[in-house]
Amino acid sequence: MPRRTPPVYQRGKYWLAHDERADGTLRSPNLYIWWYDSGTRRERSTSTATSDVAAAILELDKVYLADKGEAPAFCHACGQPLAQAQAYLLTDAIADYKIEWGNTRASADTISGRLAHAVAFLDAEQALGAEGRFGHSTSCATACGTVFVNAFRAWSRLQPVEWRNGKGEVTVSRPRSPAATEASIAQLIAVLNHAANAEPARSDKRPIYKPLPARQVQRQRRTRIGVEELAKMFAYAAEPDRQRGSLHAFLVASVCTIARPGAVVDINVAPDREQWWPGAPTLDLNPQGRTQNKKHRAVLPVLPLLDRWLREEYETYMALPIPERAGRGWLVNYHGRAIQDVDRAWDTMLTNLDMPAGREWRPYLLRHSLATLVRNNGAKKWDLEGFMGHRDGSQTEVYAIGEFPTVVRALNRIIAKIEKLAPGSTHRNPTGIGVAEKSAGVRKM
């Protein structure tokens, strides 16, 4: 195919472009991967089966990595492994890392966001032209140096964190924290080490710098709320006919587990998740198939309040026809479907309750506040560490699951106080009688 327009993307002998007719019209809206086949002495192509540029680039990267004679880790002349950080572009290293590792992780979205910030730095430097020291041609050798990382830190400090709507318009913007910058640097280090650890190696250099320690860049969270504020939140979420079910479930599960928000919205009663089943004394916050990471998810005892909510969701799940159960069973849900977070409902609640809306008042506030309340209600440090996932279980605890009795007693006292201050607010429905209770013979008097 004669090139009439510049390729959309290119790596080695492969380039990305549309398949054009002689008159310039497209044979297909999909993008194609093109290359010159020296054996047949003609250009060949294969469809990416997508018109999305990002997805097509990913497909080309996969083809490139599968071509052992083309990858930069091999000499084009003799075919021997050749690791040269100077010849291996940082953008290529990022793409390869995402394909071979980052995209397979549970934290893929977080990894992608951190690396996108690094690529944005290269874009900004490229736009400076002759004045930019770095850009798309930055190699891994350059990226391993302190000059590069110091320049990245200086640039990142001035870039706000932005949220955009479906139209691409910025809806929220706030200053970038030093911790966010260091998280991107830590991810870059992982990329560069991945290149050096590849078999065979693609780079012969490793970064000579480290991210700044957390205690140096993270601002300590000082805001905590008490039982009175929790009771107001429960009363607000439980108000009848207000469509606040997802927020209500999130509050209940957070209080009963002291889990991170991401783990709370990941609780599901479907049997194939193997997190919980009726009568189970424990709840596994880490579902079947999810690999544990540094933010350890513990196996927790099921408090009576949480047991009622889980049973009611399980009854709802089992009442569905089998073909309709796929994608259902989430404790925190929106009309039965999974949600990523409750941020919008949370913000509306803070506004309606005249509570602050600063950064320390995000949903993570529940975990910090409950840890403080539980500690002040007599929970032992060892129990609290295990309950919150701050301490990995020993080999003994692989066999003997911890019951964390002092934490359980403290949480039950806190729940009793919430119910006293906001009667009925811990129940899933306005009558205070759940599905599980009805099935057990409980009747409204």
Side-chain angles (χ1 to χ4, degrees):
M1 183 198 80
R3 295 196 201 181
R4 299 180 181 85
T5 56
V8 176
Y9 176 70
Q10 184 168 0
R11 282 190 76 178
K13 71 179 182 183
Y14 298 99
W15 72 90
L16 197 64
H18 285 100
D19 187 2
E20 300 178 356
R21 297 186 180 92
D23 61 0
T25 59
L26 303 183
R27 288 191 173 89
S28 168
N30 293 334
L31 287 160
Y32 282 72
I33 299 171
W34 297 84
W35 70 96
Y36 180 77
D37 188 339
S38 58
T40 60
R41 297 185 179 182
R42 64 183 182 90
E43 289 182 349
R44 298 182 61 188
S45 66
T46 181
S47 175
T48 62
T50 179
S51 59
D52 181 75
V53 174
I57 289 175
L58 180 61
E59 291 302 313
L60 187 148
D61 284 336
K62 290 178 180 178
V63 171
Y64 176 81
L65 284 174
D67 187 344
K68 295 300 184 182
E70 182 63 20
F74 294 84
C75 174
H76 293 281
C78 64
Q80 294 300 310
L82 182 64
Q84 288 189 347
Q86 193 61 48
Y88 191 32
L89 295 184
L90 177 59
T91 51
D92 289 345
I94 290 174
D96 297 344
Y97 172 83
K98 291 172 66 177
I99 291 173
E100 298 173 335
W101 179 256
N103 291 346
T104 67
R105 314 303 295 170
S107 55
D109 290 342
T110 301
I111 291 172
S112 180
R114 291 172 178 174
L115 293 177
H117 185 55
V119 174
F121 167 65
L122 300 179
D123 292 341
E125 287 284 299
Q126 186 76 17
L128 294 175
E131 297 180 4
R133 290 178 293 172
F134 310 101
H136 300 159
S137 61
T138 299
S139 67
C140 287
T142 301
C144 284
T146 55
V147 175
F148 176 85
V149 76
N150 288 337
F152 175 71
R153 279 195 179 105
W155 171 85
S156 179
R157 184 175 64 249
L158 303 177
Q159 309 307 310
V161 177
E162 297 177 339
W163 285 265
R164 299 177 182 272
N165 58 20
K167 299 179 181 179
E169 301 167 337
V170 177
T171 56
V172 180
S173 178
R174 64 170 174 78
R176 185 175 298 273
S177 69
T181 296
E182 295 307 312
S184 288
I185 291 174
Q187 206 67 64
L188 270 177
I189 291 173
V191 167
L192 295 168
N193 283 331
H194 179 81
N197 292 336
E199 297 181 358
R202 301 179 185 127
S203 171
D204 56 356
K205 293 186 181 299
R206 296 180 183 273
I208 61 175
Y209 51 82
K210 295 181 179 180
L212 298 177
R215 63 179 180 276
Q216 188 173 338
V217 295
Q218 288 184 351
R219 183 174 182 267
Q220 184 176 0
R221 298 174 187 264
R222 298 167 295 171
T223 302
R224 303 290 187 274
I225 58 174
V227 177
E228 294 77 10
E229 289 81 6
L230 284 172
K232 290 179 181 178
M233 291 179 175
F234 269 74
Y236 170 85
E239 192 174 345
D241 304 321
R242 292 293 185 177
Q243 300 295 316
R244 297 167 183 165
S246 58
L247 177 64
H248 196 193
F250 179 80
L251 290 171
V252 169
S254 295
V255 168
C256 292
T257 64
I258 325 183
R260 299 176 181 87
V264 171
V265 299
D266 211 21
I267 297 174
N268 191 298
V269 299
D272 61 337
R273 300 265 297 185
E274 299 185 14
Q275 290 187 272
W276 175 88
W277 61 90
T282 59
L283 169 69
D284 192 343
L285 292 177
N286 197 56
Q288 170 67 22
R290 180 188 178 275
T291 304
Q292 289 279 18
N293 55 27
K294 292 181 180 179
K295 294 185 177 180
H296 182 78
R297 293 188 182 183
V299 177
L300 305 178
V302 179
L303 273 63
L305 173 60
L306 183 59
D307 183 72
R308 292 198 298 271
W309 277 70
L310 291 172
R311 285 177 181 271
E312 290 175 24
E313 186 58 48
Y314 185 79
E315 291 286 343
T316 302
Y317 175 83
M318 295 303 293
L320 293 171
I322 293 178
E324 297 180 15
R325 293 178 186 175
R328 305 295 286 267
W330 305 96
L331 181 63
V332 183
N333 65 75
Y334 181 74
H335 297 294
R337 298 299 178 184
I339 62 173
Q340 289 187 333
D341 55 59
V342 295
D343 288 354
R344 183 175 298 181
W346 180 270
D347 291 341
T348 302
M349 177 187 69
L350 294 182
T351 300
N352 289 338
L353 295 180
D354 293 324
M355 292 182 174
R359 187 177 180 188
E360 292 198 5
W361 283 79
R362 306 312 305 150
Y364 212 95
L365 172 68
L366 292 177
R367 181 169 162 89
H368 287 264
S369 299
L370 286 163
T372 302
L373 289 170
V374 166
R375 186 82 179 267
N376 293 340
N377 273 269
K380 293 182 179 179
K381 179 176 180 290
W382 185 258
D383 279 353
L384 186 55
E385 286 180 346
F387 197 92
M388 296 184 70
H390 289 162
R391 172 179 56 80
D392 290 341
S394 65
Q395 187 63 30
T396 299
E397 288 174 303
V398 171
Y399 298 91
I401 297 174
E403 295 183 350
F404 317 112
T406 59
V407 175
V408 171
R409 285 196 295 269
L411 284 176
N412 281 329
R413 282 196 292 266
I414 292 169
I415 292 169
K417 291 178 182 177
I418 292 173
E419 180 63 28
K420 183 177 181 180
L421 291 170
S425 64
T426 60
H427 296 284
R428 185 168 174 170
N429 58 72
T431 65
I433 300 176
V435 175
E437 291 172 322
K438 290 178 181 178
S439 63
V442 178
R443 294 291 183 269
K444 184 177 179 181
M445 301 301 292

